[in-house]
Amino acid sequence: MVKENSVLTESSSIAGLEQVPSVIGADLEVPLVTGQSVPYANLDYAASTPCLTDVHREVERLLPWYSSVHRGAGFTSQVCTRVFEQARGAVRRFVGATPDSEVLFTRNTTDALNLLGRALPPGTTVFRFSTEHHAALLPWAGARVCRMGVPTSATNAVQTLAAELAAAPEGPKLVVITGASNVTGELWPVVELAEVARAHGARTVLDAAQLAAHGPLELADWDVDWVALSGHKLYAPFGAGALVGATDWLDAAEPYLAGGGATARVAEDAGRECVTWSSLPHRHEAGSPNVVGVHAMAVACDTLSDIGWNLITKQEEELATRLRRGLVEIPGVRQLGMWDEEHPRIGVVSFDVADCAGEPADPRLVATALAAEHGVGVRDGAFCAHQAVHSMLERIGGHEHNRALRASIGLGTTTEHIDRLLGALQDLVRNGPRWPYRHFDEGWSPDPDPRPVPDFLPGQLN
């Protein structure tokens, strides 16, 4: 029996707090093809989150002090170096890692997992399910990969991993664990998978890209070796991510990138460079660090932690329940899922639309019409999890496009956004799009499209 993951348990909250943190763009209005404009209903948080107001304020406060990080004697350089190094502590606390865990700053989750992939000891076997996001599915080209398919339940996932580990050859082992599915929002049994891995002498890495913005992470308590996460999915969209965890494999590996900062000493001997590489964390952080992105991520981590998860998860659960129940009422709309409908989830919902006004529905056209006619932003496609989406579409008899639609919830989501999506879908299913659209290789476009598009080139802002 798989114990329920502790990801969404209660946490401390600030006394008297009545609302979740605000995000930049919450009051943004977007044009419709009809000539009207409406508040934007952003339901694409699983792809990228808007910026927290607190993050925006703190980034603006830092910018006048912006300078080089490390090895600079100037005062602003010293300030930025301090900001950069303090951020490691904020991220370490946020993921619940031990004090001796290393924090390596990267560009995003994909970058972090590729870094770990480059640091695997020779002969490592990587165990991963086919349902992973491509960021966790693909970085293991240099290793022997055990592909474990699509589990039929959370319990089956644990049983499958145990069987594969028991039959694995000798040598280092790494188990890749997803925190929450970016397709369905379903929570994976992180604690149980990590326990099985540890029992067979395997290391673990948690892909927390989707999970980190929806509930507390407890890396040490879950007995996970590494966690990878992205600022752009954590309300800090300034190009920073992190890999946090054990030091031994990382310290023994060649630098992820060769260049300045990763080097302690470079000399020439007999026509070749002799390099002494830096120790951690600088060994894997070559190049000029993204101090603005790192600071933004640290502020987001502190803001979410300080707010407490009670309020955030309660609001999200109410909105997600409203969305899922509403989709059930629309004829021909089928929600995607790997496991039992009652399995715990975050606010990510993918679904298939069978037809619009009696014609087979193209998810790309549905998404385009939702945006153009209703000001609703959702995602269409296979969400960089092609094997997972195709498997789930086959299970429900999905159409030939091998694509789905995804609505995802975050801090700026309101009940009006959910209701507008549901009403728009109901209208599209019954009547089809009300505006003409032109098909091209990459999808659909309103024809004509009278919506003015802001030009952000210097000197041309409207």
Side-chain angles (χ1 to χ4, degrees), residues 85-103:
E85 293 302 328
Q86 285 180 329
R88 298 192 201 275
V91 174
R92 188 182 291 111
R93 291 190 300 273
F94 180 77
V95 302
T98 58
D100 60 343
S101 296
E102 194 57 80
V103 177

Side-chain angles (χ1 to χ4, degrees), residues 82-383:
R82 185 168 182 264
V83 166
F84 189 83
E85 293 302 328
Q86 285 180 329
R88 298 192 201 275
V91 174
R92 188 182 291 111
R93 291 190 300 273
F94 180 77
V95 302
T98 58
D100 60 343
S101 296
E102 194 57 80
V103 177
L104 301 179
F105 287 118
T106 63
R107 293 178 298 168
N108 44 46
T109 305
T110 301
D111 198 31
L113 290 170
N114 274 271
L115 190 165
L116 183 60
R118 290 276 295 274
L120 299 182
T124 297
T125 302
V126 175
F127 299 79
R128 52 85 169 156
F129 292 96
S130 299
T131 45
E132 303 290 343
H133 185 283
H134 294 170
L137 193 81
L138 302 177
W140 322 112
R144 181 190 299 111
V145 177
C146 177
R147 298 168 175 84
M148 295 183 288
V150 180
T152 58
S153 67
T155 300
N156 177 247
V158 176
Q159 294 170 340
T160 299
L161 176 61
E164 293 291 352
L165 283 168
E170 292 296 320
K173 304 175 184 67
L174 177 69
V175 176
V176 182
I177 303 174
T178 294
S181 169
N182 79 305
V183 180
T184 66
E186 288 164 299
L187 296 173
W188 282 71
V190 175
V191 174
E192 292 77 15
L193 290 169
E195 184 178 357
V196 167
R198 188 69 63 194
H200 289 84
R203 298 292 190 88
T204 50
V205 59
L206 175 66
D207 173 2
Q210 289 300 328
L211 182 58
H214 300 277
L217 302 178
E218 299 292 347
L219 190 65
D221 289 350
W222 297 344
D223 212 4
V224 171
D225 292 280
W226 294 281
V227 61
L229 65 163
S230 289
H232 80 99
K233 294 186 189 294
L234 200 61
Y235 304 99
F238 290 89
L243 177 69
V244 186
T247 61
D248 52 350
W249 285 10
L250 299 169
D251 201 33
E254 289 290 299
Y256 177 49
L257 297 173
T263 55
R265 181 177 182 275
V266 179
E268 186 174 321
D269 182 22
R272 58 179 296 180
E273 278 73 39
C274 296
V275 182
T276 301
W277 299 112
S278 300
S279 57
L280 292 177
H282 310 298
R283 186 183 192 87
H284 296 295
E285 292 180 342
S288 296
N290 176 11
V291 63
V292 173
V294 163
H295 181 55
M297 188 173 178
V299 172
C301 287
D302 282 345
T303 299
L304 294 174
S305 296
D306 291 345
I307 213 75
W309 290 103
N310 286 359
L311 193 63
I312 295 173
T313 56
K314 182 177 184 292
Q315 174 177 291
E316 180 178 310
E317 287 167 2
E318 291 173 354
L319 291 168
T321 298
R322 188 183 191 94
L323 172 59
R324 293 190 180 102
R325 288 177 177 171
L327 289 173
V328 169
E329 301 298 320
I330 304 176
V333 172
R334 299 162 294 186
Q335 297 178 49
L336 274 59
M338 293 182 293
W339 304 329
D340 185 271
E341 290 182 1
E342 300 304 315
H343 188 83
R345 304 171 185 235
I346 61 170
V348 177
V349 184
S350 292
F351 55 95
D352 173 67
V353 178
D355 58 71
C356 292
E359 297 292 330
D362 182 339
R364 294 177 298 181
L365 177 56
V366 174
T368 301
L370 287 171
E373 300 177 33
H374 303 278
V376 176
V378 299
R379 175 80 33 161
D380 74 277
F383 320 126

